[in-house]
Amino acid sequence: MNYLLIDFTNLPTSNKLYAGANGAKRAVIYQGEQYMLKFPAAPSKIRDSSHSNSCIAEYIGCHIFNSVGIRAQETILGVYRKNGTEKIVVACKDFTSPGVVLQDFASLQNSVIEPRHSCYSTELSDIMQTMEAQTALSPAFLKQHFWNLFIVDALIGNENRSNENWGFLYNAATDEITIAPVYDCGSSLYPQADETAIQDALKDQQQGLRALLLPLSRIKINQRINYFDFISSLESADCNEALKRILPRINMGEIFRLVDETPFISDLQKQFYKTMLQARKERILDFSMEKLLKCEKKRQFDER
């Protein structure tokens, strides 16, 4: 695939401001439409910010969501040049419009949660309580969306799906709320892994175990949930149903093509992404599905 290099450096800007802690953000106009330009987040362990791959993760993560039929924001990779340096950035098309604003789940939680709880609480029980108590959307529909996100986040290793990182579009003219496209996937796909960490992971015969253990979800049951432990426990019927909905939609051939066609990343990075995505699918999702089907078959047999 020949990818046209897009330089976002001198695009016109607007006065719209974007919140969020995962890298700097700027409102720009590209081809007559508004985009949020996201810059790479500062790395936590390495000095060279070019090694922080949050923009690549945003791009690939959103495309993976779209590939399984969950609408995500439109993302475009490009470069931004300043003071002789060049950064890889991602432009995220603004999915709001005049009279239609983004409201995150924290806002919904703040409207119904008991005062002693924070709207930023990611305790699973608090989230479920909010979904049952709110009246903007069908609780069953909202739960289905939440667990669909959870399954894909398990695949891509998203460690930061907080209450601020998913939400709704509110139409002031109609007073209606709809599910917003998925956004903020920059904390997936091990964005802080530099070349040395990638090489070590690919050489490590226990990389499958690594895929099971890290990263953890932002959702908590007293402590942050381990994706493998939670999904494979089969304790949540809603999560089990989401697994059955989403897993058949995951086309690894399509995802591998997406990774191979992603610009700016090396062959080593492509190998790493494909290896870890395959490992997470097989060892978390496929394993859990096989266990679930066995349990359902046994239950059906026992009920005869």
Side-chain angles (χ1 to χ4, degrees):
M1 176 180 179
N2 294 322
Y3 189 90
L4 178 64
L5 175 65
I6 302 175
D7 189 340
F8 293 113
T9 306
N10 296 314
L11 290 179
T13 61
S14 75
N15 290 322
K16 184 167 185 177
L17 303 177
Y18 295 101
N22 192 12
K25 301 170 180 67
R26 175 176 296 181
V28 298
I29 307 300
Y30 176 65
Q31 296 186 340
E33 298 187 274
Q34 183 149 295
Y35 282 75
M36 174 181 66
L37 199 62
K38 293 185 71 172
F39 293 78
S44 59
K45 297 181 180 179
I46 49 181
R47 295 181 180 180
D48 184 356
S49 62
S50 67
H51 286 157
S52 181
N53 294 308
S54 58
C55 292
I56 299 294
E58 186 79 59
Y59 175 84
I60 296 178
C62 287
H63 278 74
I64 288 176
F65 269 102
N66 278 318
S67 77
V68 300
I70 300 175
R71 188 165 68 103
Q73 63 184 353
E74 179 184 322
T75 54
I76 307 170
L77 286 172
V79 298
Y80 189 91
R81 299 182 173 96
K82 184 177 181 180
N83 299 329
T85 63
E86 179 179 287
K87 293 182 182 295
I88 298 170
V89 296
V90 60
C92 307
K93 189 174 182 180
D94 195 319
F95 46 73
T96 64
S97 58
V100 178
V101 299
L102 176 65
Q103 295 183 328
D104 58 28
F105 183 77
S107 301
L108 183 65
Q109 193 170 26
N110 201 39
S111 70
V112 299
I113 205 73
E114 295 180 14
R116 68 176 180 272
H117 294 298
S118 166
C119 65
Y120 301 109
S121 168
T122 55
E123 280 290 332
L124 183 59
S125 59
D126 289 344
I127 292 172
M128 293 298 107
Q129 178 184 345
T130 295
M131 292 182 183
E132 289 291 347
Q134 58 80 40
T135 57
L137 294 165
S138 159
F141 172 77
L142 191 52
K143 287 180 181 180
Q144 182 178 106
H145 178 67
F146 171 84
W147 289 113
N148 287 349
L149 296 185
F150 187 85
I151 294 298
V152 181
D153 279 338
L155 173 67
I156 64 177
N158 191 347
E159 62 181 348
N160 195 33
R161 186 70 67 196
S162 68
N163 296 345
E164 300 167 279
N165 292 344
W166 69 284
F168 318 93
L169 293 177
Y170 172 68
N171 188 318
T174 63
D175 196 38
E176 292 179 331
I177 286 182
T178 56
I179 297 292
V182 174
Y183 60 96
D184 225 333
C185 296
S187 295
S188 57
L189 297 170
Y190 310 88
Q192 298 294 347
D194 61 7
E195 185 171 317
T196 300
I198 288 173
Q199 289 176 335
D200 290 344
L202 291 174
K203 292 177 183 177
D204 185 0
Q205 296 299 313
Q206 296 300 315
Q207 65 179 351
L209 180 61
R210 183 194 304 271
L212 301 185
L213 298 179
L214 294 173
L216 303 177
S217 170
R218 277 293 295 273
I219 310 304
K220 297 180 179 179
I221 302 179
N222 297 320
Q223 59 186 5
R224 294 178 66 164
I225 287 174
N226 176 292
Y227 282 114
F228 170 75
D229 289 345
F230 184 85
I231 297 173
S232 66
S233 74
L234 309 181
E235 291 180 359
S236 167
D238 288 335
C239 184
N240 294 345
E241 290 303 310
L243 179 64
K244 290 193 288 187
R245 281 192 303 272
I246 298 300
L247 185 56
R249 304 182 197 172
I250 298 174
N251 183 326
M252 293 308 294
E254 182 178 346
I255 290 174
F256 284 0
R257 284 192 296 273
L258 163 65
V259 173
D260 285 333
E261 294 173 358
T262 298
F264 305 117
I265 59 176
S266 67
D267 289 341
L268 180 67
Q269 286 174 288
K270 292 175 182 179
Q271 182 186 359
F272 173 70
Y273 289 141
K274 290 188 291 185
T275 299
M276 296 310 292
L277 284 166
Q278 185 70 42
R280 294 186 69 82
K281 176 182 180 293
E282 291 178 354
R283 298 173 181 268
I284 300 177
L285 303 185
D286 290 346
F287 173 85
S288 299
M289 176 65 90
E290 184 178 351
K291 183 178 177 182
L292 176 60
L293 293 177
K294 286 181 179 178
C295 289
E296 290 182 343
K297 186 176 181 179
K298 182 179 184 301
R299 184 167 60 251
Q300 291 171 0
F301 180 81
D302 292 342
E303 290 174 352
R304 289 178 182 176

